[in-house]
Amino acid sequence: MSDGIVRADSDGLRALASGLRHGVSGLAEAGKAAPPAPNAGVSSARVAATLAAILDTTAGIVAGVANTAAEIDASDGSYGEVDNRSADGFGRAGR
């Protein structure tokens, strides 16, 4: 049975942040190697607009992942402590 205390695996969180940063780095490198826009004839403008939308969305995802990695690093293992204080503030279940 759980004692209601949150315990965070600091090493696991750091590994997660590292993996996120590595993934973001890989996506950034892939973006640098992107080929030029294709010539799609009369559809070129629409194809370019679609590719631009995909790239904008991807950039947002990359920024979000990078931010998540930075927040994990900034917490430096304090996740469990913060969560436990919050739980105490609301009163632990069953107590």
Side-chain angles (χ1 to χ4, degrees):
M1 181 174 202
S2 172
D3 59 7
I5 303 295
V6 174
R7 291 174 182 84
D9 176 4
S10 295
D11 290 337
L13 288 172
R14 285 187 189 101
L16 175 62
S18 176
L20 291 171
R21 278 192 307 278
H22 180 71
V24 167
S25 176
L27 286 172
E29 288 301 314
K32 292 177 186 176
N39 180 352
V42 297
S43 299
S44 289
R46 288 185 184 205
V47 169
T50 300
L51 290 174
I54 291 169
L55 291 173
D56 283 346
T57 301
T58 302
I61 292 169
V62 168
V65 170
N67 186 55
T68 299
E71 287 180 359
I72 291 170
D73 284 338
S75 74
D76 194 28
S78 67
Y79 174 82
E81 180 183 331
V82 170
D83 203 309
N84 287 323
R85 275 194 308 241
S86 297
D88 286 339
F90 287 110
R92 295 193 182 273
R95 291 187 184 180

